[in-house]
Amino acid sequence: MLDGVRVSTRGASTWGTIDGAGGAFDSEDARLLSIAEGVERYSSCVYDEEQFVWATARELGAEAVDLTQFPSVSEAETKRTPAWVAPNVDAPMRWVRSVCMMTGAIRWIPAIAVYLHLPFASIGERFTIPISTGCALHTDPQLAIRNALLEVIERDAVALTWLQQIRWPRLNTTLLSDSEEVAMAMQPTSTETMQYFNATTDLGVPTVYGVSVVPNHPTVRQVVVAVTSWDFDSAVIKLVREGISCRIALEHRQLERTDPTQFFAVHDGALYMASPERSSAFDFLLDDSLGPRGMAQPAQTLGTDADGAEAVRWLLDILQERGMTAYVVNMTSREVNDAGLFCVRVIVPQLMPL
């Protein structure tokens, strides 16, 4: 076991945290996706302390990413859970090099915002919780960066939907093509209902939010999944795949923690809210009788023939127009590079994590 992972888990199993799951309409595609996700999670845990510098943001000055741009816990949250703190420019922490994708400049970024299973080494690092958002792997580095950027935007939409109880409009099927793949993805089953919503935020990148409901399931009645993509077709297809994968994963887990203030893994909240007795928590989105719905923002789309570099430039222009900055860290370990793969972490401080 990797040293950092051993410390982080106190030697416990890493099942569900450094493995991969893949869903597809073809078994070979699903196998490859699961391998890719497993390698991606592994890559996000491989680091060397010599990569890091100990400093405060104030000491690093303009060479550091602006900590004040990161989402911050509220005063109520810090009172309830003192272990979490607001970003502090005078707090020492570990930093790792990143590249500002808008300017190409090298910038120091908090290591705790980059790597998984990186044990906290100072109180200053407790301004965020390590999570997989923005980590992506591909054979093409530009496509890895594209996928990472899309995931960061997607997770922002997920967080905002829940925190603000946004009543997104139901997805208008005129936004979809009549392709056989889309029709097959949206084909209903006898036990599950998937409800689709247009969750395109003010960034204007196509985002679909889905709620999978199995009315008679004893423990996993409702499962939420969302996807941001370059068009609505690809978003819906991926959403259905990921919805199946998420449901299978949750149905094979047990609810270990029932106090939300003690949740620390993504599946903690998902399992807790999947329970039939909490189905009413989703009424804000599912219940049409609650009144008119809001409007999704107009979406920009990108042609399916666009290459990775074009897609990255398209997304960076959208972020830059809204005053946001994206940073990328190369997380490709030697053995991953030898396999012809490339792994990155993208951080956009102004967007909400999951």
Side-chain angles (χ1 to χ4, degrees):
M1 185 181 289
L2 296 168
D3 288 345
V5 175
R6 188 186 70 252
V7 173
S8 172
T9 65
R10 298 181 178 89
S13 169
T14 57
W15 183 79
T17 60
I18 315 183
D19 49 18
F25 301 116
D26 176 85
S27 59
E28 180 61 18
D29 289 344
R31 187 183 74 87
L32 289 174
L33 286 171
S34 67
I35 292 171
E37 186 172 274
V39 175
E40 173 194 306
R41 294 297 170 85
Y42 165 79
S43 300
S44 67
C45 302
V46 178
Y47 56 86
D48 188 329
E49 291 284 347
E50 292 186 6
Q51 293 173 257
F52 308 147
V53 297
W54 269 99
T56 67
R58 194 180 301 279
E59 288 168 342
L60 292 173
E63 294 185 8
V65 173
D66 184 359
L67 279 186
T68 66
Q69 297 295 317
F70 282 85
S72 177
V73 292
S74 68
E75 185 177 346
E77 286 172 313
T78 56
K79 287 181 178 177
R80 185 178 66 231
T81 313
W84 305 110
V85 300
N88 184 347
V89 297
D90 292 311
M93 65 182 73
R94 291 164 295 180
W95 302 75
V96 66
R97 286 185 178 89
S98 70
V99 176
C100 174
M101 286 193 281
M102 278 62 179
T103 66
I106 301 297
R107 290 290 179 262
W108 292 103
I109 198 163
I112 203 70
V114 175
Y115 292 97
L116 295 180
H117 288 292
L118 181 67
F120 293 108
S122 70
I123 189 63
E125 291 184 338
R126 290 184 174 272
F127 76 92
T128 190
I129 299 174
I131 194 169
S132 64
T133 296
C135 185
L137 177 132
H138 206 283
T139 54
D140 181 335
Q142 291 293 334
L143 289 177
I145 294 172
R146 179 203 67 181
N147 292 348
L149 283 164
L150 288 170
E151 185 173 81
V152 172
I153 296 170
E154 165 201 309
R155 300 294 174 84
D156 176 71
V158 173
L160 293 178
T161 298
W162 187 254
L163 292 172
Q164 298 185 14
Q165 303 283 281
I166 301 175
R167 280 176 55 77
W168 294 115
R170 292 187 181 276
L171 182 65
N172 192 328
T173 55
T174 61
L175 295 171
L176 304 172
S177 74
D178 57 359
S179 74
E180 183 178 345
E181 193 173 10
V182 171
M184 183 170 66
M186 299 185 74
Q187 185 72 27
T189 71
S190 58
T191 58
E192 176 197 28
T193 299
M194 177 68 85
Q195 301 192 45
Y196 304 90
F197 301 88
N198 184 349
T200 303
T201 67
D202 55 344
L203 292 179
V205 185
T207 301
V208 179
Y209 192 100
V211 183
S212 159
V213 179
V214 177
N216 298 320
H217 200 287
T219 57
V220 186
R221 183 184 187 276
Q222 52 272 329
V223 173
V224 166
V225 62
V227 171
T228 296
S229 194
W230 51 89
D231 62 19
F232 284 101
D233 275 15
S234 57
V236 164
I237 292 167
K238 185 179 180 185
L239 181 139
V240 172
R241 292 202 319 258
E242 292 197 350
I244 294 170
S245 178
C246 286
R247 177 166 285 281
I248 291 172
L250 292 175
E251 289 177 353
H252 287 79
R253 286 184 177 276
Q254 298 294 320
L255 183 61
E256 300 173 19
R257 287 164 285 276
T258 56
D259 178 359
T261 65
Q262 300 303 310
F263 291 172
F264 65 86
V266 173
H267 63 261
D268 285 338
L271 274 173
Y272 181 79
M273 296 309 299
S275 176
E277 58 261 33
R278 276 174 275 279
S279 61
S280 62
F282 298 86
D283 286 349
F284 79 93
L285 193 61
L286 301 182
D287 191 344
D288 290 323
S289 71
L290 292 180
R293 296 180 176 274
M295 294 286 291
Q297 294 297 309
Q300 305 178 46
T301 59
L302 187 68
T304 55
D305 57 345
D307 62 22
E310 288 178 281
V312 169
R313 187 70 264 158
W314 174 65
L315 291 167
L316 292 179
D317 286 346
I318 289 172
L319 294 171
Q320 194 160 27
E321 285 172 7
R322 289 154 180 81
M324 299 181 183
T325 307
Y327 302 90
V328 62
V329 178
N330 183 356
M331 303 175 73
T332 312
S333 62
R334 185 178 303 164
E335 59 273 30
V336 172
N337 182 71
D338 289 345
L341 300 171
F342 190 86
C343 187
V344 299
R345 165 84 68 179
V346 167
I347 297 103
V348 181
Q350 296 91 342
L351 294 180
M352 287 291 292
L354 188 61

